[in-house]
Amino acid sequence: MCDLAVNAIAFGVLNAEGIIAYCSSSFAHVVAAAQGTPVAGGSITHWLEPESGPLSSPWFSSNAAIEGTLRLKRRNKIIRYRPEPITSFTRETEGGAILFLGDDTLTLNLIHAQAFQLNPGLSAISVLETGEHLDVNPAWLNAMEYQRGDVIGRTAQDMNIWENTSFRSEVVRQLTKYGHVDNLQGRMRTQSGNLRDIIVSAKRVSYFGRILAVFASHDITEVKKSHADLEALNRQLESRVAERTAELETKNTQLLDAARLAQAANDAKSRFLATMSHEIRTPLNAIINMAELLLEIKSNDLDKKYLVNIVNSAHSLASIVDDTLDFAKIEENELKIVPIEVNVEAIVEEVVRSLAPLGHRKGIEFVLTHAPRLPESIRIDPTRLRQILYNLIGNSIKFTRSGWIEINVDLVVTNDEHELLLSIQDTGIGIAPADQNRIFDRFSKLSPGSDDATSGTGLGLSIAQGLAQAMGGRITVDSTRNHGSTFSVALPVRSCSAPPSGMTVSEVIILGPESRTRSALEAACAGLGIASRVAGRETALSGSPSRTAALVVLPLSVSPPSAIELYQRARSLCSRVIVFSPIGQTIDTLPSVLFENSQLEFYPIGRSSLRAALSEQDSTTQTAEVQQIAPSLSGTRILVADDVEENRLVIEWGLRACGAHITTTDNGEDAIRLMQQDVFDLLLLDLRMPGLDGYQTAARLRSLGGRIGGTPIIAVSANATPDASKMEAAGIKDFLAKPFRPSHLRSMVLDVLGRSSRGRQVDIVQNRRPILDAAFLTAQMNYAGPEAICRAIDVFCGQLKQRLEKIEMSRNDKDRIEAIHRLGGAASSLGLSELFNLCVQLEATFKHHSPVTRAEKIAAIRMIGESSIFYLKRYQNDLFF
């Protein structure tokens, strides 16, 4: 045992017989003095004896701890002892005790060992009653800045150590009452007057009749200072966090303000685009309607062909204007793709033929080819396909100075997946590799130094790529600088029919200088199963009865003698001659004999148009919707149920002009009653009516069964996207959106009645127009007459005030929405497109707006509505003056 604190204590371990099993060095020193005689292993009685009587073993088996005095035999000295019985040790010592010995010096050593060696903090021993210091350790002296001689024998009061004397009084009280003090916090004063924070623990001990206090304290001044510093740091951090939070809140407010400004700018952009599309669409409508009127009165085939191209191009341009706003939708991933079954050949040919004149004027040859396996019908979104083609082909025309542009259409099948492939190849300026990586980015243009680098907005290719991706496809480019470019489009589709079958035509002969158009014509004939031979200047051919026709391909620039020579040679080879001239080129300078006994066609030409031309069919009749003469509905009885008078008048005008007998009603109950009283071939039913709405009316009619339940129903509504599930539940299969043109109405009626083989094409897109679409109203007047138009205008103007007041004054939302719906329906019938759009938008979103926003939108409806009266009256006056 080398531990000083332990060896300083005089103790020995005795077994039950009083044999010393172990003892400390101090114990051996006390009992054996300086003789050096071994102590362990001997009997305790050899060294010690009671002051009176022997020390007997039964005493060691006692469980009581007592104190007393013993006599040292060799020194004849009285010494104090304290035995502590061993309750559990080893079997050899069971029933023994630990015997502590000590004189005055040794007992104080024991106290020292407990207070000093075992406590690393501030230790002190003092008399409890007086406070006299008997001893302190070096840590105490160092912390309190004292020398040992300045402390021993002096009291705490003399030294003025405690900051508060009441603290010492509390320590004395607890030691007196409880015998100990645990972790009591106070402050002690150093010799220099500094205060130290102390945690005090103390124990009361007896020392030869005196009560001592043994202190084991700890200086926590630095700890408290660290805590204070930490708290200050925490407060500083909290302050910084608060400041940063305030800054972030300010930044957030600024960001919100910026977002609102950005939204306002975006709204302004949308309004600008809408306004521009309004202004562009107005003259476009005039172009379309005037061209349609010319088609009805022109008998010259050549004029009709040009007019058809004007109408088709104008319709395509109108579609592009409508889709200008799609750019924002592409960015917001809100673009709607509506695939339908269409003739892709016809769509591509329509786009190519409308753009080819721009290339022909630059001397660029335009070529259109189709793969033989391309089916007649494919399921795809035709509007988006047109827009992609217009952007890509227009881009090729822009950057091609000379040479040719070829458009190829194909369909590939991989693992039962169909993909439409379109390629637009040109001999233009090409695209540098650095530009190819960003050519589809917004506002991207060619690198500086390139010709045409600064022209255009840089949005065309970005829109095309966005449309392709929205359709699940992609656009790629392969280009070499100064060697042209090839843009490839791949779109997933569904093939709906097989490739077209062969023709009865057996053979044709093709005349004309070598060109890509002549080669494409050869390939097209081969795809149709027609044999073809090319007759060059040196080719010797004779007439053959098996040849159906001679095809003369005029180059972009041809002199009259050359044209006559080609024609005469063709006439010598075949009785039927078809002359192919570049579309958009002036042919007035060519000899009239060229066209007197031949059929004139224009190129580029698609497979379907070539088939029609060779079959002696006029291909223009398949693409010009306006050439359809209004078919007869004579004898057809049609019931119209609509709660808006103007709507009933529009339908009545459009169908009565075709000979239909029209009966009208303004509610669902009367519609059911009339259906039960009379026989009708068709019911045109508004979906939103007071009382029984269109869905409920249709459901009741279907429940009647028989003739009434089987009557065809066409739903009519200003809502372009009705509830499909409710329509199906009500047994309604056909739908026509307002506003509609009379031709669309007749087409729908004929399709439902089964009297027309023409495919159904119902335009349900709500076009934005100026306050009054005069072209739309004029189209209505052509069927109804000026008197009916004036009567409808008078009805609308007379009821407008009452309708506006109902919107503004109704107490419940349902009545307000109903009034808004009725006003919108009336507006659509008279071409008041802006008022119609405002009503439709507010009706659809009414419940989502706050009262303030509703009031603003209703105020806008009143302003546009009152302005509409002015435009209607002015239009009415123009009819008679």
Side-chain angles (χ1 to χ4, degrees):
M1 297 291 293
C2 59
D3 186 271
L4 295 178
V6 174
N7 288 329
I9 303 172
F11 73 93
V13 180
L14 312 180
N15 62 16
E17 287 74 28
I19 302 301
I20 302 172
Y22 173 82
C23 68
S24 67
S25 58
S26 298
F27 185 93
H29 177 73
V30 171
V31 298
Q35 297 179 10
T37 305
V39 175
S43 173
I44 190 62
T45 58
H46 180 73
W47 308 102
L48 297 171
E49 63 182 3
E51 285 188 275
S52 60
L55 186 63
S56 61
S57 60
W59 175 87
F60 292 104
S61 62
S62 173
N63 292 328
I66 60 174
E67 291 188 11
T69 59
L70 295 173
R71 184 187 304 276
L72 288 170
K73 288 184 176 182
R74 294 184 179 275
R75 300 171 59 185
N76 195 24
K77 181 180 179 180
I78 302 301
I79 189 171
R80 295 182 62 83
Y81 80 97
R82 174 184 174 83
E84 291 188 5
I86 298 176
T87 57
S88 177
F89 194 57
T90 64
R91 291 185 178 182
E92 291 78 6
T93 59
E94 187 173 0
I98 299 175
L99 182 65
F100 293 93
L101 302 178
D103 54 13
D104 292 347
T105 303
L106 291 176
T107 303
L108 190 58
N109 288 341
L110 176 62
I111 295 174
H112 276 206
Q114 293 177 343
F116 290 8
Q117 280 86 355
L118 300 181
N119 175 42
L122 311 185
S123 298
I125 302 173
S126 64
V127 179
L128 180 61
E129 182 179 357
T130 64
E132 177 186 358
H133 288 92
L134 300 181
D135 201 358
V136 293
N137 70 347
W140 191 100
L141 295 171
N142 183 59
M144 303 307 296
E145 303 175 356
Y146 279 96
Q147 297 295 323
R148 186 176 184 82
D150 299 331
V151 178
I152 304 303
R154 298 182 64 187
T155 66
Q157 185 176 357
D158 294 340
M159 300 169 62
N160 194 24
I161 290 178
W162 297 106
E163 179 186 24
N164 297 315
T165 57
S166 59
F167 180 79
R168 183 184 183 282
S169 300
E170 178 62 19
V171 172
V172 172
R173 185 190 70 80
Q174 291 191 24
L175 286 173
T176 303
K177 184 175 182 179
Y178 306 112
H180 61 87
V181 173
D182 296 318
N183 300 325
L184 195 63
Q185 188 171 335
R187 304 185 78 183
M188 295 177 68
R189 187 179 289 106
T190 67
Q191 188 175 20
S192 62
N194 296 323
L195 294 174
R196 308 290 293 183
D197 293 288
I198 307 295
I199 289 181
V200 177
S201 295
K203 184 178 180 181
R204 186 187 66 197
V205 298
S206 297
Y207 176 65
F208 288 96
R210 302 177 71 184
I211 305 300
L212 305 181
V214 180
F215 290 88
S217 304
H218 296 278
D219 187 349
I220 61 169
T221 303
E222 297 303 323
V223 174
K224 289 196 68 174
K225 184 177 181 301
S226 297
H227 286 174
D229 291 342
L230 184 59
E231 289 178 359
L233 181 60
N234 286 339
R235 287 192 297 270
Q236 184 179 4
L237 289 175
E238 289 173 357
S239 176
R240 290 182 180 178
V241 169
E243 292 176 1
R244 185 58 179 162
T245 300
E247 292 177 3
L248 290 175
E249 289 176 352
T250 302
K251 291 291 185 183
N252 285 339
T253 302
Q254 294 173 350
L255 287 174
L256 289 174
D257 292 340
R260 282 191 287 268
L261 289 175
Q263 183 61 43
N266 189 58
D267 293 342
K269 178 195 72 175
S270 298
R271 288 194 298 271
F272 170 76
L273 291 175
T275 301
M276 290 303 297
S277 44
H278 291 166
E279 298 304 319
I280 295 172
R281 190 181 291 109
T282 300
L284 270 179
N285 280 333
I287 292 171
I288 292 171
N289 282 285
M290 285 188 288
E292 289 175 349
L293 290 173
L294 285 173
L295 275 172
E296 293 179 0
I297 62 175
K298 285 287 184 181
S299 58
N300 182 278
D301 288 340
L302 182 59
D303 290 342
K304 282 188 176 182
K305 293 178 186 294
Y306 280 119
L307 287 170
V308 166
N309 194 56
I310 291 173
V311 171
N312 288 339
S313 298
H315 278 300
S316 298
L317 182 56
S319 177
I320 291 176
V321 171
D322 290 338
D323 291 337
T324 300
L325 298 178
D326 285 343
F327 177 69
K329 294 180 180 179
I330 291 172
E331 290 185 316
E332 298 173 6
N333 199 26
E334 294 181 354
L335 192 70
K336 292 184 179 179
I337 304 300
V338 184
I340 59 175
E341 186 176 336
V342 295
N343 187 331
V344 170
E345 288 185 41
I347 292 174
V348 176
E349 182 180 4
E350 172 193 323
V351 175
V352 171
R353 286 168 72 95
S354 65
L355 292 176
L358 300 176
H360 288 165
R361 293 189 191 105
K362 296 175 67 174
I364 301 171
E365 187 177 7
F366 252 83
V367 183
L368 173 62
T369 61
H370 301 85
R373 59 192 170 195
L374 187 70
E376 287 188 333
S377 60
I378 289 176
R379 189 170 182 81
I380 197 172
D381 188 324
T383 302
R384 309 307 176 195
L385 177 60
R386 286 189 182 95
Q387 194 166 357
I388 291 173
L389 289 170
Y390 271 110
N391 276 294
L392 296 180
I393 298 174
N395 194 69
S396 289
I397 295 173
K398 178 180 177 181
F399 293 103
T400 301
R401 303 188 190 97
S402 62
W404 47 265
I405 297 174
E406 182 171 333
I407 297 90
N408 179 261
V409 189
D410 196 359
L411 184 76
V412 297
V413 182
T414 306
N415 297 328
D416 295 330
E417 298 291 333
H418 294 73
E419 197 169 47
L420 179 66
L421 300 180
L422 302 133
S423 68
I424 297 89
Q425 186 177 6
D426 61 55
T427 56
I429 63 174
I431 306 170
D435 289 327
Q436 292 180 33
N437 295 329
R438 59 179 182 83
I439 197 70
F440 295 105
D441 295 341
R442 294 180 302 167
F443 310 109
S444 177
K445 299 180 182 181
L446 295 180
S447 299
S450 302
D451 294 340
D452 300 311
T454 59
S455 61
T457 62
L459 283 176
L461 293 179
S462 176
I463 291 176
Q465 183 71 286
L467 292 170
Q469 291 175 349
M471 298 170 73
R474 64 195 180 279
I475 301 178
T476 57
V477 61
D478 181 20
S479 180
T480 303
R481 189 69 178 145
N482 298 321
H483 289 83
S485 304
T486 301
F487 285 86
S488 301
V489 185
L491 301 172
V493 297
R494 287 180 55 192
S495 176
C496 300
S497 66
S501 58
M503 297 182 60
T504 57
V505 178
S506 58
E507 183 183 6
V508 296
I509 187 170
I510 302 176
L511 299 91
E514 183 178 356
S515 65
R516 299 186 76 87
T517 298
R518 193 185 74 179
S519 299
L521 196 59
E522 292 181 65
C525 289
L528 293 173
I530 302 172
S532 63
R533 296 186 65 185
V534 176
R537 289 183 177 273
E538 306 300 330
T539 305
L541 293 174
S542 60
S544 173
S546 64
R547 298 189 188 114
T548 304
L551 312 183
V552 178
V553 182
L554 298 179
L556 290 178
S557 179
V558 60
S559 64
S562 298
I564 292 175
E565 180 184 352
L566 286 171
Y567 171 75
Q568 290 175 343
R569 190 169 186 208
R571 177 64 64 183
S572 68
L573 297 173
C574 189
S575 60
R576 182 184 177 199
V577 176
I578 304 176
V579 177
F580 290 88
S581 176
I583 190 169
Q585 293 287 81
T586 301
I587 60 174
D588 294 341
T589 58
L590 297 178
S592 59
V593 68
L594 197 63
F595 311 111
E596 290 174 356
N597 298 305
S598 64
Q599 179 182 338
L600 178 64
E601 296 292 339
F602 294 100
Y603 67 80
I605 187 169
R607 185 173 58 182
S608 298
S609 297
L610 179 61
R611 174 194 292 271
L614 294 175
S615 302
E616 297 184 340
Q617 296 177 358
D618 188 352
S619 62
T620 61
T621 60
Q622 298 181 3
T623 58
E625 181 179 313
V626 295
Q627 294 186 50
Q628 296 287 342
I629 300 174
S632 174
L633 290 172
S634 178
T636 303
R637 298 177 60 82
I638 299 175
L639 175 62
V640 179
D642 196 307
D643 60 311
V644 180
E645 182 177 0
E646 291 91 333
N647 292 343
R648 299 195 298 272
L649 288 173
V650 167
I651 296 174
E652 188 174 352
W653 301 336
L655 298 181
R656 186 164 286 171
C658 299
H661 178 74
I662 307 299
T663 302
T664 62
T665 181
D666 61 359
N667 63 83
E669 290 87 350
D670 285 349
I672 295 173
R673 178 179 55 80
L674 289 169
M675 289 286 289
Q676 291 173 326
Q677 293 176 355
D678 207 343
V679 177
F680 293 97
D681 300 299
L682 179 68
L683 170 60
L684 286 166
L685 182 62
D686 182 29
L687 292 178
R688 291 289 298 275
M689 294 187 296
L692 284 180
D693 63 18
Y695 300 109
Q696 295 168 327
T697 302
R700 288 197 184 183
L701 289 172
R702 295 301 187 213
S703 68
L704 295 175
R707 172 186 58 79
I708 298 174
T711 301
I713 298 175
I714 298 176
V716 182
S717 177
N719 182 5
T721 55
D723 191 323
S725 60
K726 292 177 67 175
M727 285 185 61
E728 182 179 0
I732 303 174
K733 297 181 179 179
D734 300 282
F735 172 74
L736 182 63
K738 305 173 187 175
F740 50 78
R741 291 194 170 189
S743 60
H744 292 157
L745 173 64
R746 293 194 304 272
S747 175
M748 171 69 80
V749 170
L750 288 166
D751 187 33
V752 172
L753 292 176
R755 296 187 181 180
S756 173
S757 59
R758 179 183 173 193
R760 188 160 120 208
Q761 296 179 355
V762 181
D763 183 7
I764 63 173
V765 179
Q766 300 172 4
N767 295 323
R768 297 183 175 181
R769 293 185 172 90
I771 292 178
L772 175 63
D773 188 345
F776 177 86
L777 198 54
T778 300
Q780 304 285 38
M781 186 183 66
N782 291 337
Y783 294 98
E787 293 183 359
I789 288 290
C790 290
R791 182 159 61 91
I793 291 174
D794 291 338
V795 170
F796 178 85
C797 294
Q799 295 181 354
L800 179 62
K801 181 179 179 181
Q802 180 181 356
R803 285 172 170 166
L804 290 173
E805 289 178 349
K806 189 168 184 180
I807 293 173
E808 295 169 340
M809 305 303 293
S810 294
R811 294 187 176 182
N812 62 72
D813 292 349
K814 183 178 180 181
D815 291 343
R816 279 190 171 188
I817 295 173
E818 184 63 34
I820 293 169
H821 175 78
R822 292 169 65 87
L823 177 59
S828 70
S829 301
L830 293 175
L832 299 172
S833 299
E834 188 166 352
L835 179 60
F836 167 76
N837 283 334
L838 289 174
C839 291
V840 169
Q841 292 169 7
L842 183 55
E843 178 187 355
T845 61
F846 188 87
K847 294 183 179 179
H848 302 292
H849 291 310
S850 66
V852 174
T853 304
R854 291 178 186 174
E856 292 175 350
K857 292 185 177 294
I858 291 173
I861 288 176
R862 171 173 281 280
M863 181 185 70
I864 299 300
E866 292 172 347
S867 300
S868 299
I869 294 179
F870 168 78
Y871 286 95
L872 287 172
K873 291 296 185 183
R874 187 174 69 178
Y875 181 88
Q876 195 174 29
N877 292 334
D878 290 343
L879 293 178
F880 302 102
F881 298 100

Coordinates of all heavy atoms in Angstrom, one line a residue, residues 447-493:
S447 N -24.3 32.8 -84.4 CA -23.1 33.6 -83.8 C -22.9 34.9 -84.6 O -23.2 34.9 -85.8 CB -21.9 32.7 -83.9 OG -22.0 31.6 -83.1
P448 N -22.4 35.9 -84.0 CA -22.1 37.1 -84.7 C -21.2 36.9 -85.9 O -20.3 36.1 -85.8 CB -21.4 38.0 -83.6 CG -21.9 37.4 -82.3 CD -22.1 36.0 -82.5
G449 N -21.5 37.6 -86.9 CA -20.7 37.4 -88.2 C -21.4 36.5 -89.2 O -21.1 36.6 -90.4
S450 N -22.4 35.8 -88.7 CA -23.2 35.0 -89.6 C -24.2 35.9 -90.3 O -24.7 36.8 -89.8 CB -24.0 33.9 -88.9 OG -23.1 33.0 -88.2
D451 N -24.5 35.6 -91.6 CA -25.6 36.3 -92.3 C -26.9 36.0 -91.6 O -27.2 34.9 -91.1 CB -25.7 35.9 -93.7 CG -24.4 36.2 -94.5 OD1 -23.7 37.1 -94.0 OD2 -24.2 35.6 -95.6
D452 N -27.7 37.0 -91.5 CA -29.1 36.9 -90.9 C -28.9 36.6 -89.4 O -29.9 36.1 -88.7 CB -29.9 35.8 -91.5 CG -30.2 36.1 -93.0 OD1 -30.6 37.2 -93.3 OD2 -29.9 35.2 -93.8
A453 N -27.8 36.9 -88.8 CA -27.5 36.5 -87.4 C -28.4 37.3 -86.4 O -28.8 36.9 -85.4 CB -26.1 36.7 -87.0
T454 N -28.8 38.5 -86.9 CA -29.5 39.4 -86.0 C -31.0 39.4 -86.3 O -31.8 40.1 -85.6 CB -29.0 40.8 -86.0 OG1 -29.0 41.3 -87.3 CG2 -27.5 40.8 -85.5
S455 N -31.5 38.8 -87.3 CA -32.9 38.8 -87.7 C -33.7 37.8 -86.9 O -33.2 36.8 -86.5 CB -33.0 38.6 -89.2 OG -32.5 37.3 -89.5
G456 N -34.9 38.1 -86.7 CA -35.8 37.2 -86.0 C -35.8 37.4 -84.5 O -34.9 38.1 -84.0
T457 N -36.7 36.7 -83.8 CA -36.8 36.8 -82.4 C -36.0 35.7 -81.7 O -35.7 35.8 -80.5 CB -38.2 36.7 -81.9 OG1 -38.7 35.4 -82.3 CG2 -39.1 37.8 -82.5
G458 N -35.6 34.6 -82.4 CA -34.9 33.5 -81.8 C -35.8 32.6 -80.9 O -35.4 31.9 -80.1
L459 N -37.2 32.7 -81.2 CA -38.1 31.9 -80.5 C -38.6 30.7 -81.3 O -39.1 29.7 -80.7 CB -39.3 32.7 -80.0 CG -39.1 33.6 -78.8 CD1 -40.4 34.4 -78.6 CD2 -38.8 32.8 -77.6
G460 N -38.5 30.7 -82.6 CA -39.1 29.7 -83.4 C -38.7 28.3 -83.1 O -39.5 27.4 -82.9
L461 N -37.4 28.0 -83.1 CA -36.9 26.7 -82.8 C -37.2 26.3 -81.3 O -37.4 25.1 -81.0 CB -35.4 26.6 -83.1 CG -35.0 26.7 -84.5 CD1 -33.5 26.6 -84.7 CD2 -35.7 25.6 -85.4
S462 N -37.2 27.2 -80.4 CA -37.5 26.9 -79.0 C -38.9 26.5 -78.9 O -39.2 25.5 -78.2 CB -37.2 28.2 -78.2 OG -37.6 27.9 -76.8
I463 N -39.8 27.2 -79.6 CA -41.2 26.8 -79.5 C -41.4 25.4 -80.2 O -42.1 24.6 -79.6 CB -42.1 27.8 -80.2 CG1 -42.1 29.1 -79.4 CG2 -43.5 27.3 -80.5 CD1 -42.9 30.3 -80.1
A464 N -40.8 25.2 -81.3 CA -40.9 23.9 -82.0 C -40.4 22.8 -81.1 O -41.1 21.7 -81.0 CB -40.1 23.9 -83.3
Q465 N -39.3 22.9 -80.4 CA -38.7 21.9 -79.5 C -39.7 21.7 -78.4 O -39.9 20.6 -77.9 CB -37.3 22.3 -79.1 CG -36.7 21.3 -78.2 CD -36.2 20.0 -78.9 OE1 -37.0 19.2 -79.3 NE2 -34.9 19.9 -79.2
G466 N -40.2 22.8 -77.8 CA -41.1 22.7 -76.7 C -42.4 21.9 -77.1 O -42.9 21.1 -76.3
L467 N -42.9 22.2 -78.3 CA -44.1 21.5 -78.7 C -43.8 20.0 -78.9 O -44.6 19.1 -78.5 CB -44.6 22.1 -80.0 CG -45.2 23.5 -79.9 CD1 -45.4 24.1 -81.3 CD2 -46.5 23.5 -79.2
A468 N -42.6 19.7 -79.5 CA -42.3 18.3 -79.8 C -42.1 17.5 -78.4 O -42.6 16.4 -78.3 CB -41.0 18.2 -80.6
Q469 N -41.5 18.2 -77.5 CA -41.3 17.5 -76.2 C -42.6 17.3 -75.5 O -42.9 16.3 -74.8 CB -40.3 18.3 -75.3 CG -38.9 18.3 -75.8 CD -38.0 19.2 -75.1 OE1 -38.4 20.0 -74.2 NE2 -36.7 19.1 -75.3
A470 N -43.5 18.3 -75.6 CA -44.9 18.2 -75.0 C -45.6 17.0 -75.6 O -46.5 16.4 -75.0 CB -45.6 19.5 -75.1
M471 N -45.3 16.7 -76.9 CA -46.0 15.6 -77.6 C -45.2 14.3 -77.3 O -45.6 13.2 -77.9 CB -46.1 15.9 -79.1 CG -46.9 17.1 -79.4 SD -46.7 17.6 -81.2 CE -47.7 16.3 -82.0
G472 N -44.2 14.3 -76.5 CA -43.4 13.1 -76.2 C -42.3 12.8 -77.2 O -41.8 11.7 -77.2
G473 N -42.0 13.8 -78.1 CA -41.0 13.6 -79.1 C -39.8 14.4 -78.9 O -39.5 14.9 -77.8
R474 N -39.1 14.6 -80.0 CA -37.8 15.4 -79.9 C -37.5 15.9 -81.3 O -38.0 15.5 -82.3 CB -36.7 14.5 -79.4 CG -36.4 13.3 -80.4 CD -35.5 12.3 -79.8 NE -35.3 11.2 -80.7 CZ -36.1 10.2 -81.0 NH1 -37.3 10.2 -80.4 NH2 -35.8 9.2 -81.9
I475 N -36.6 17.0 -81.3 CA -36.1 17.5 -82.6 C -34.6 17.5 -82.5 O -34.0 18.0 -81.4 CB -36.6 18.9 -82.8 CG1 -38.1 18.9 -82.9 CG2 -36.0 19.5 -84.1 CD1 -38.7 20.3 -83.1
T476 N -33.9 17.1 -83.5 CA -32.4 17.1 -83.5 C -32.0 17.8 -84.8 O -32.7 17.9 -85.7 CB -31.8 15.7 -83.4 OG1 -32.4 14.9 -84.5 CG2 -32.2 15.0 -82.1
V477 N -30.7 18.2 -84.8 CA -30.2 18.9 -86.0 C -28.8 18.3 -86.3 O -28.0 17.9 -85.4 CB -30.1 20.4 -85.7 CG1 -29.1 20.7 -84.5 CG2 -29.6 21.2 -86.9
D478 N -28.6 18.2 -87.6 CA -27.3 17.7 -88.1 C -26.9 18.7 -89.2 O -27.6 18.9 -90.2 CB -27.4 16.3 -88.7 CG -26.0 15.8 -89.3 OD1 -25.0 16.4 -88.8 OD2 -26.1 14.9 -90.1
S479 N -25.8 19.4 -89.0 CA -25.4 20.5 -89.9 C -23.9 20.7 -90.0 O -23.2 20.4 -89.0 CB -26.1 21.8 -89.4 OG -25.8 22.9 -90.3
T480 N -23.5 21.2 -91.1 CA -22.1 21.6 -91.4 C -22.1 23.0 -91.9 O -22.9 23.3 -92.8 CB -21.4 20.6 -92.4 OG1 -21.5 19.3 -91.9 CG2 -20.0 21.0 -92.6
R481 N -21.2 23.8 -91.4 CA -21.2 25.2 -91.8 C -21.0 25.3 -93.3 O -20.1 24.6 -93.9 CB -20.0 25.9 -91.1 CG -20.0 27.4 -91.3 CD -21.2 28.1 -90.6 NE -21.2 29.5 -90.8 CZ -22.2 30.3 -90.9 NH1 -23.4 29.7 -90.9 NH2 -22.1 31.6 -91.0
N482 N -21.9 26.1 -94.0 CA -21.8 26.3 -95.5 C -22.2 25.1 -96.3 O -22.0 25.1 -97.5 CB -20.5 26.8 -95.9 CG -20.1 28.2 -95.3 OD1 -21.0 29.0 -95.1 ND2 -18.8 28.3 -94.9
H483 N -22.8 24.1 -95.6 CA -23.2 22.9 -96.4 C -24.6 22.4 -96.0 O -24.9 21.3 -96.1 CB -22.2 21.7 -96.1 CG -20.9 21.9 -96.8 ND1 -19.9 22.7 -96.2 CD2 -20.4 21.5 -98.0 CE1 -18.8 22.7 -97.0 NE2 -19.1 22.0 -98.1
G484 N -25.4 23.3 -95.5 CA -26.8 23.0 -95.2 C -27.0 22.4 -93.9 O -26.1 22.1 -93.1
S485 N -28.3 22.1 -93.6 CA -28.7 21.5 -92.3 C -29.9 20.5 -92.5 O -30.6 20.6 -93.5 CB -29.2 22.6 -91.4 OG -28.3 23.6 -91.2
T486 N -30.0 19.6 -91.6 CA -31.1 18.7 -91.6 C -31.7 18.7 -90.2 O -31.0 18.3 -89.2 CB -30.7 17.2 -92.0 OG1 -30.1 17.3 -93.3 CG2 -31.9 16.3 -92.0
F487 N -33.0 19.1 -90.1 CA -33.7 19.0 -88.8 C -34.6 17.8 -88.9 O -35.3 17.6 -89.8 CB -34.5 20.3 -88.6 CG -33.7 21.5 -88.2 CD1 -33.2 22.3 -89.2 CD2 -33.6 21.8 -86.9 CE1 -32.4 23.4 -88.8 CE2 -32.8 22.9 -86.5 CZ -32.3 23.7 -87.5
S488 N -34.5 16.9 -87.9 CA -35.2 15.7 -87.8 C -36.2 15.8 -86.6 O -35.8 16.1 -85.5 CB -34.3 14.5 -87.6 OG -33.4 14.4 -88.7
V489 N -37.4 15.4 -86.9 CA -38.5 15.4 -85.9 C -39.0 14.0 -85.7 O -39.3 13.3 -86.7 CB -39.7 16.3 -86.3 CG1 -40.7 16.4 -85.2 CG2 -39.2 17.7 -86.7
A490 N -39.0 13.5 -84.4 CA -39.6 12.2 -84.1 C -40.7 12.4 -83.1 O -40.5 12.9 -82.0 CB -38.5 11.3 -83.6
L491 N -41.9 11.9 -83.5 CA -43.1 12.1 -82.6 C -43.8 10.7 -82.5 O -44.1 10.1 -83.5 CB -44.0 13.1 -83.2 CG -43.5 14.5 -83.5 CD1 -44.5 15.3 -84.3 CD2 -43.2 15.2 -82.2
P492 N -44.0 10.3 -81.2 CA -44.8 9.1 -81.0 C -46.2 9.3 -81.5 O -46.9 10.3 -81.2 CB -44.7 8.8 -79.5 CG -44.5 10.2 -78.9 CD -43.7 11.0 -80.0
V493 N -46.8 8.3 -82.3 CA -48.1 8.4 -82.8 C -48.8 7.0 -82.7 O -48.1 6.0 -82.4 CB -48.1 8.9 -84.3 CG1 -47.5 10.3 -84.3 CG2 -47.3 8.0 -85.1

